[in-house]
Amino acid sequence: MIDGRAPRDDDFERVQQARDLMLLLKPVLDLPERHRGRRAMAEEVARALGKSVAQVYRLCEIAREGGVLALARLGQRRDRGQARTLISSGWLAWAQEAAGRWGAMDVPELAERMRQAVRSAWVGGAASERQCWLKATTHVAKELMEMGLPRDLGARLISLPAPRRYLDAEGRHFRVAGRFLRDAKGFYDKNRAPVKRTAAGMMPGEVVCGDITPLDIPVLREDGSTAYARIVMWHDVATNWLHYDLVLLDKGEGIRRDVVAASFARMCEEAPFGAPRRLYLDNGSEYRWDEMLAAAKRLADLTQHAFAAEDAATAPEDRRVVRSIPFHPRGKRVEGQFGNLRHWLAWWVGYVGGNRMTKKVVTLGKGVQPAPFDEVRQWLKATIDDYLVTPQPSAEHMGGMSPQQKLEAARVAGWKPWHVDRLALALAFADLETRVVSRGTVQVRGKTYYADFLMWIEGRVTVAVPRILAPAFDAVYILDGQRVLGWAEPERVYGLLDEAGAKEAARRAKAARVLMGQKIEAAGGPLDESATAGLRAKLLGLDETLEEARSAAQQVQVSPELVALMDGMRRAEAEAIARINAAYQARQADGMDRFAAGDDPETQLAREMGL
């Protein structure tokens, strides 16, 4: 502590100067006051310091009494760093009058209330010292008048000029808090301390960032209307290589999921840095990265996790999908590349810049002049090619090399790009739906798809509708879990008398026989059930169980009344049978008599006559 306060930088400088001065004065201080050579020594010191001998003697007295600190305090005000007035002279005069006339508060209490109001005004978002003072004095005047302050004193308070030095001193500590509450972007850009990161040591494809930005060059659609194309950009962090797709959308149309998926697939196939080990994705709504992330996870499964795509903490650190913090461009390195790219795009005469309200145009007072889309696309490709071979000395991880040189250096060091099979990409970026197979066909989105192999499948299957291959590839993949069974093509409709339809029916019948034969052969033929009939009962001891049940059976003893009843029933039954037999015999005897009477001549004649 120095004079009851914390030391400042200039205090250390003054102390160092005082120590140097003490070394010069030491020969004079070591000699007694009446020493014969003390005068000559003082003159030497005076010449070295550019001072008089009397001044040297005075410095010696100060050093002898207070030491180095006394020399350090020379020429310094005792009240340095302390305000000579409370807030301002005008405010102090007002406060003294208010304390005398009103008497409810003294000057220090009024000063403390005023200071708190100023700080609150800064935290509340005051835009300037004057605005801060207006809000603070109004607030204090309102509170004090509610406590009984005379109205004229309140009016004088809000009319006092703003003490800018005082307000600025308070604003240094509280203005940032107001920005934090009201302007998150301003706080992020001006006050939030960034974490320094480096891409040094990374290899190509290790981290790839994805983002979408408009091309600030107006182009013409086929119908003659003006549009701004979109760039789907993939930025390789290690080499600053830019792989892009330029998309011209119809009026009122936004970037679709299939466009982004197709761009990612082309990047994995065509980009010299290959498929990315780790994706760093934007959170923009137009990207729909939730579905992109799901597709990336499917790609990981299809590639046996050579490409990992997990945003959970359990995923390998070097193969993880990372999503940037929303509205934090500092964390997205691709944003910086967009800024660098604008310097190249600005060479196009029709470049309008990012602010569409104040476009940069060639002609004064006229609208922007669009160019044909194909012409702009060709120029953009040539411009990006020039960018790729241009050294980047300002990028700390590039070492003054161009993206091309950085990529070549990695290749010489033994790096090799990853390439993913097109089928795996198509299945990863596909819409998966569950459908029921019906006579070799599946129904998907109102369309019927047929395949021969579907004739031996019954039940539900997973249908993958590729995004990145449409519309050139009008088919769907049929999956059984992660296994691809094949693809099904749209069902063709034949005319009623079309001979091609008959040939197709014959071919399908033959294909069904071949497929069924393959399945029968794979199964080893049908099972001969007759050879094993009864074996399960024999092996599981059914006969033994029945025999044991019979052996264990017990005869139930009935009551005498039941025995008598049963005997009566038997006798009744025997009597009924005897009566039935007697009646039957009587009918038989009667029939024989009639048959014998049939030999009578008259009866015989009647029969011959048909009577």
Side-chain angles (χ1 to χ4, degrees):
M1 299 295 290
I2 299 178
D3 296 333
R5 60 174 176 80
R8 296 187 294 265
D9 293 339
D10 59 341
D11 292 326
F12 293 104
E13 295 178 3
R14 297 178 67 88
V15 169
Q16 184 61 42
Q17 294 173 0
R19 287 176 178 173
D20 296 340
L21 181 59
M22 178 65 80
L23 291 176
L24 291 175
L25 297 177
K26 192 173 186 308
V28 181
L29 293 173
D30 292 341
L31 296 176
E33 291 187 5
R34 299 296 182 181
H35 193 277
R36 185 178 299 176
R38 191 169 184 268
R39 173 76 181 189
M41 183 63 68
E43 291 176 354
E44 292 291 335
V45 174
R47 281 194 295 269
L49 295 177
K51 298 181 181 299
S52 65
V53 175
Q55 290 176 326
V56 171
Y57 284 148
R58 177 57 183 163
L59 292 175
C60 290
E61 293 178 4
I62 295 173
R64 186 177 290 109
E65 294 176 359
V68 174
L69 290 180
L71 294 175
R73 293 192 186 98
L74 289 174
Q76 186 178 19
R77 290 176 55 94
R78 293 297 180 91
D79 59 352
R80 185 185 179 194
Q82 300 178 7
R84 299 189 182 106
T85 60
L86 286 174
I87 303 178
S88 69
S89 57
W91 183 91
L92 182 59
W94 171 87
Q96 291 173 346
E97 182 178 353
R101 287 177 52 190
W102 181 38
M105 289 186 180
D106 55 13
V107 174
E109 291 175 336
L110 292 172
E112 179 63 24
R113 185 175 289 268
M114 195 71 235
R115 183 175 63 174
Q116 290 299 328
V118 168
R119 292 178 176 179
S120 298
W122 280 125
V123 174
S128 63
E129 287 84 358
R130 175 173 171 75
Q131 289 295 322
C132 175
W133 182 251
L134 291 176
K135 298 297 182 182
T137 52
T138 303
H139 180 75
V140 172
K142 177 179 178 296
E143 288 186 341
L144 296 182
M145 289 175 64
E146 290 176 352
M147 298 172 60
L149 181 72
R151 181 174 179 177
D152 61 322
L153 290 177
R156 283 181 53 192
L157 174 61
I158 63 176
S159 301
L160 292 175
R164 297 188 179 275
R165 292 183 61 183
Y166 171 79
L167 296 171
D168 181 67
E170 293 292 339
R172 294 173 193 170
H173 301 281
F174 294 94
R175 185 186 288 114
V176 175
R179 185 180 298 124
F180 175 80
L181 292 177
R182 301 174 67 91
D183 185 5
K185 181 65 168 59
F187 177 80
Y188 178 83
D189 292 337
K190 297 180 180 179
N191 302 102
R192 181 170 169 178
V195 176
K196 188 174 182 180
R197 300 176 182 271
T198 179
M202 284 187 174
M203 300 302 289
E206 188 170 341
V207 176
V208 175
C209 303
D211 206 349
I212 298 175
T213 187
L215 179 68
D216 296 324
I217 297 176
V219 297
L220 290 172
R221 296 191 182 98
E222 293 183 357
D223 60 0
S225 60
T226 302
Y228 290 90
R230 293 294 188 95
I231 302 178
V232 182
M233 185 71 70
W234 304 96
H235 167 230
D236 177 51
V237 174
T239 62
N240 279 351
W241 195 285
L242 298 179
H243 183 85
Y244 72 95
D245 281 294
L246 190 62
V247 182
L248 181 61
L249 304 172
D250 294 333
K251 187 174 182 180
E253 184 183 14
I255 287 288
R256 303 185 306 274
R257 294 173 295 169
D258 54 346
V259 173
V260 179
S263 178
F264 177 82
R266 280 191 291 271
M267 182 263 294
C268 291
E269 288 185 306
E270 302 173 5
F273 50 81
R277 274 69 165 175
R278 183 191 298 177
L279 279 174
Y280 194 90
L281 306 181
D282 194 359
N283 276 271
S285 59
E286 58 189 355
Y287 256 79
R288 303 292 179 91
W289 280 121
D290 288 339
E291 299 189 9
M292 286 290 293
L293 183 59
K297 290 180 180 180
R298 285 200 297 269
L299 183 60
D301 294 335
L302 294 171
T303 58
Q304 298 180 354
H305 289 273
F307 170 86
E310 293 290 341
D311 57 348
T314 56
E317 178 64 26
D318 60 340
R319 292 176 295 170
R320 183 182 300 173
V321 171
V322 181
R323 293 202 255 185
S324 62
I325 303 173
F327 309 108
H328 287 65
R330 191 185 298 158
K332 295 180 286 187
R333 301 182 73 95
V334 68
E335 294 285 353
Q337 292 305 312
F338 285 154
N340 296 334
L341 188 60
R342 291 187 181 96
H343 296 300
W344 293 82
L345 299 180
W347 285 99
W348 182 267
V349 176
Y351 179 76
V352 299
N355 191 346
R356 302 292 171 82
M357 301 303 296
T358 57
K359 302 180 181 68
K360 301 175 182 178
V361 295
V362 178
T363 56
L364 183 63
K366 295 184 180 180
V368 64
Q369 300 297 320
F373 176 68
D374 290 337
E375 182 180 344
V376 174
R377 180 169 53 188
Q378 295 174 6
W379 175 82
L380 180 63
K381 181 182 182 304
T383 300
I384 295 296
D385 290 343
D386 290 341
Y387 160 84
L388 295 176
V389 298
T390 303
Q392 300 182 5
S394 59
E396 49 86 19
H397 70 286
M398 294 293 288
M401 293 188 290
S402 66
Q404 177 194 22
Q405 294 170 334
K406 191 75 172 179
L407 186 72
E408 182 65 20
R411 189 192 63 78
V412 172
W415 166 84
K416 295 181 180 180
W418 284 1
H419 286 291
V420 183
D421 184 72
R422 188 173 183 83
L423 175 59
L425 291 170
L427 293 178
F429 294 92
D431 295 325
L432 300 182
E433 301 180 11
T434 301
R435 291 292 181 268
V436 177
V437 178
S438 175
R439 296 189 297 179
T441 63
V442 290
Q443 296 285 336
V444 182
R445 300 177 181 178
K447 194 181 240 185
T448 303
Y449 292 87
Y450 166 81
D452 289 342
F453 65 88
L454 288 176
M455 287 190 288
W456 54 260
I457 297 178
E458 190 175 56
R460 297 180 180 273
V461 294
T462 301
V463 180
V465 184
R467 300 179 193 169
I468 65 174
L469 303 180
F473 183 76
D474 187 12
V476 296
Y477 288 98
I478 309 299
L479 283 72
D480 182 13
Q482 295 295 332
R483 187 164 60 98
V484 181
L485 301 180
W487 71 80
E489 297 179 345
E491 176 76 300
R492 179 182 173 183
V493 180
Y494 297 90
L496 186 62
L497 302 179
D498 191 350
E499 185 179 352
K503 292 182 179 179
E504 176 64 15
R507 190 200 66 80
R508 292 186 182 185
K510 182 179 179 180
R513 290 193 298 270
V514 173
L515 289 171
M516 295 306 107
Q518 293 175 352
K519 289 300 179 181
I520 292 171
E521 182 181 357
L527 185 67
D528 186 5
E529 197 275 336
S530 62
T532 58
L535 181 60
R536 289 178 58 83
K538 183 177 180 180
L539 293 177
L540 297 177
L542 179 61
D543 294 338
E544 289 80 357
T545 300
L546 294 176
E547 181 63 30
E548 291 176 359
R550 283 193 294 268
S551 300
Q554 296 181 0
Q555 189 67 31
V556 179
Q557 298 296 329
V558 299
S559 64
E561 293 80 2
L562 182 59
V563 173
L565 178 61
M566 292 177 63
D567 290 343
M569 291 177 63
R570 292 190 187 102
R571 287 193 300 270
E573 182 180 0
E575 292 175 358
I577 293 174
R579 286 194 300 271
I580 292 172
N581 290 335
Y584 177 74
Q585 291 175 1
R587 285 195 301 271
Q588 288 291 104
D590 183 61
M592 292 300 292
D593 293 341
R594 291 181 179 180
F595 182 75
D599 294 339
D600 183 74
E602 295 180 0
T603 303
Q604 183 67 30
L605 179 61
R607 288 179 179 175
E608 291 177 358
M609 294 176 66
L611 297 175

